[in-house]
Amino acid sequence: MRHPVTLNRTVTDCQQVTSTHVDAVVVGGGIVGANCAVELARAGVDDVVILERDAPASKASGRAAGNLTIYRHERFGAEASRLGRELYEEYERKYDDLTFHRANSYSIAYSEEGADYLRSEHETTTIETTLLSTEELAEREPEFATENVTLALSIDDAVYTDPEQLTLAAHSVARDEGVTLVQEAARDFEVDNRGIAVQTTDGTYEAPVVVVAAGVWTKRLLQRAGTDVSLRARTSQIAILDPPTDVDLPLWSAPDLSVYGRSTPEGRVLFGGGTSTPVTDIESFRTRATVPFLRQVGELAPEVLPFLEDATLHDDWAGRVSATPDRYPYIGQTEIEGLYVCAGFNGEGISNSPFGARLLANLITETDPLVDPTEFDPTRFRGDEAFEISDAVEWWADR
Ligand SMILES: Cc1cc2nc3c(=O)[nH]c(=O)nc-3n(C[C@H](O)[C@H](O)[C@H](O)COP(=O)(O)OP(=O)(O)OC[C@H]3O[C@@H](n4cnc5c(N)ncnc54)[C@H](O)[C@@H]3O)c2cc1C
């Protein structure tokens, strides 16, 4: 371990100030924090505490679409996706309330640029994919309007799940690994040569390793510790439509149109998107979808799926998602010895946090890293640079 000091868990009461010594503190009990805790415990870090100021999965992790893109593409390499699938399938086996839904999945291009991207994706990925012409898509999935489609890429057996249950499953596995979940908010940090003291609403946790995995709150927390990362908050939104007729749709994503969708297990239709609006105040955030997004869904739904012409809105919501300038997350140590970060997953944190958590554990325990960590180095940006928030569904911008 980079930090040879292993502090036993002791509690010192000193005039109402409680100080708890542990081996690692993870700040944030969303999917990222829970997966980090599982990986740290499994890497041999004995006494891990998760600090969550609210309920686990109460923020982005409970509001996501739950599409596990690691079954559809390999953004951070085949090994990273494989590891994620393995961990989540273990969660599914162990946690009764978690169900994985399998369906065909299509990336649908409505432009020549999109078609080029799908061809290159088809050539490079090790996941089995099939390129479909407009006619082939129409034959396979007759609900889709195909007159403006240029090409489609099909993947059999994609997976989606309830992201809240997935996060609770991660917490349950973490608990089985000996991790303690504490409902307290991290307020401040004090750094000295023995480690880092995290002051919370109710006391202090001291540890040689502190991981900030607090989603869009990560930047603010790191600033309190005296460091920074370049991270902004943006929205991601969902509309659930009641279709006039029952239909079983595959997962689909249309980056040219900035939307994606699928059927829900209840037979409704989920539309996701609205991902480029910055969140100016992360605390007073409105958790309903915005009017422009709902209008966009109202216009696009019948264009993509004509049977939705007379669909009605059943539900809608929005969540706060972190954005980074290069769309890569921050995984690793900050400028402060012992202070780590795992955040900035740019709208795919449900899918990609297993690999992020494993890489983080590799770095903390100084074992062979799963992938080259330099691309994820939290110090690669100054922290205060301005950058535009791009549309998260438009993944060919990442080329
Ligand atoms: C509408 C929508 C759809 C999405 N769809 C998908 C999808 O299909 N697939 C996918 O992979 N991803 C999807 N995402 C993205 C995904 O939800 C996020 O990337 C992921 O949930 C981020 O997890 P997190 O743990 O970093 O953040 P969060 O879930 O936001 O967790 C951060 C936690 O930190 C806690 N916290 C904050 N400050 C403190 C403090 N001071 N002390 C203690 N705790 C603190 C918060 O209470 C919160 O629980 C979607 C997101 C949204 C909103």
Side-chain angles (χ1 to χ4, degrees):
M1 296 224 349
R2 175 175 285 148
H3 307 278
V5 206
T6 299
L7 301 167
N8 290 327
R9 191 159 220 242
T10 55
V11 178
T12 323
D13 275 323
C14 171
Q15 292 176 342
Q16 296 166 343
V17 178
T18 305
S19 191
T20 306
H21 296 259
V22 294
D23 292 326
V25 173
V26 177
V27 181
I31 190 75
V32 178
N35 283 335
C36 285
V38 168
E39 289 293 343
L40 282 174
R42 288 184 172 175
V45 180
D46 278 339
D47 199 353
V48 181
V49 163
I50 300 174
L51 297 176
E52 168 53 55
R53 70 172 188 177
D54 228 312
S58 57
K59 300 297 182 297
S61 301
R63 299 182 163 270
N67 294 341
L68 299 182
T69 56
I70 40 182
Y71 285 83
R72 283 195 281 139
H73 62 75
E74 296 168 334
R75 186 147 141 67
F76 299 116
E79 183 57 11
S81 289
R82 188 198 54 77
L83 179 127
R85 296 193 292 265
E86 239 175 59
L87 185 74
Y88 284 169
E89 284 164 20
E90 179 198 333
Y91 290 177
E92 195 209 10
R93 283 194 303 277
K94 288 185 170 165
Y95 194 72
D96 288 346
D97 293 333
L98 182 65
T99 308
F100 279 9
H101 304 275
R102 283 164 205 277
N104 287 345
S105 163
Y106 298 90
S107 296
I108 304 177
Y110 292 78
S111 68
E112 280 316 315
E113 192 199 14
D116 284 348
Y117 178 82
L118 294 186
R119 283 185 202 101
S120 72
E121 175 84 352
H122 174 65
E123 273 162 28
T124 52
T125 182
T126 63
I127 290 175
E128 206 168 304
T129 59
T130 314
L131 284 175
L132 300 179
S133 66
T134 308
E135 295 72 31
E136 286 166 328
L137 177 66
E139 200 173 306
R140 278 218 211 173
E141 303 292 342
E143 295 85 6
F144 284 82
T146 50
E147 55 271 21
N148 297 322
V149 170
T150 50
L151 196 66
L153 185 74
S154 139
I155 301 112
D156 293 344
D157 243 9
V159 173
Y160 70 92
T161 192
D162 178 336
E164 183 179 13
Q165 292 305 334
L166 181 72
T167 307
L168 297 178
H171 277 284
S172 163
V173 171
R175 195 168 49 242
D176 291 347
E177 296 289 345
V179 172
T180 311
L181 172 66
V182 177
Q183 200 173 351
E184 288 176 29
R187 287 261 167 92
D188 230 324
F189 301 85
E190 258 176 40
V191 184
D192 67 23
N193 56 7
R194 287 174 309 138
I196 300 171
V198 186
Q199 281 150 15
T200 71
T201 27
D202 295 323
T204 303
Y205 287 80
E206 289 179 48
V209 169
V210 171
V211 178
V212 181
V216 296
W217 292 270
T218 298
K219 181 179 177 74
R220 202 170 63 187
L221 283 163
L222 291 177
Q223 284 174 336
R224 285 193 197 143
T227 184
D228 204 355
V229 284
S230 204
L231 185 146
R232 295 182 70 193
R234 63 165 179 78
T235 55
S236 195
Q237 311 184 50
I238 285 177
I240 304 289
L241 305 184
D242 263 325
T245 49
D246 273 4
V247 72
D248 191 13
L249 294 174
L251 278 84
W252 57 274
S253 137
D256 292 306
L257 310 178
S258 300
V259 284
Y260 61 92
R262 60 169 167 81
S263 286
T264 71
E266 299 77 28
R268 300 197 172 92
V269 179
L270 177 150
F271 262 78
T275 63
S276 55
T277 317
V279 175
T280 39
D281 181 348
I282 52 178
E283 294 308 334
S284 64
F285 177 73
R286 187 175 171 270
T287 54
R288 301 310 301 254
T290 59
V291 172
F293 172 66
L294 293 177
R295 233 181 246 139
Q296 185 199 16
V297 171
E299 278 163 22
L300 280 179
E303 273 178 37
V304 177
L305 295 156
F307 75 97
L308 290 177
E309 183 70 54
D310 297 320
T312 52
L313 182 65
H314 174 78
D315 196 4
D316 65 89
W317 67 85
R320 284 151 283 200
V321 169
S322 50
T324 60
D326 57 2
R327 298 201 195 205
Y328 270 55
Y330 299 119
I331 304 163
Q333 190 166 233
T334 65
E335 294 152 335
I336 298 173
E337 177 81 10
L339 184 64
Y340 289 79
V341 58
C342 195
F345 284 88
N346 288 270
E348 286 198 356
I350 302 288
S351 309
N352 292 322
S353 52
F355 118 83
R358 172 66 63 87
L359 177 61
L360 183 89
N362 291 154
L363 296 171
I364 290 173
T365 58
E366 294 190 333
T367 47
D368 275 350
L370 170 80
V371 292
D372 178 2
T374 48
E375 297 177 305
F376 309 102
D377 185 345
T379 63
R380 67 187 183 275
F381 298 108
R382 279 193 324 272
D384 61 354
E385 44 275 277
F387 68 94
E388 288 293 310
I389 290 181
S390 47
D391 190 314
V393 190
E394 230 178 53
W395 32 242
W396 39 74
D398 291 338
R399 271 176 298 174

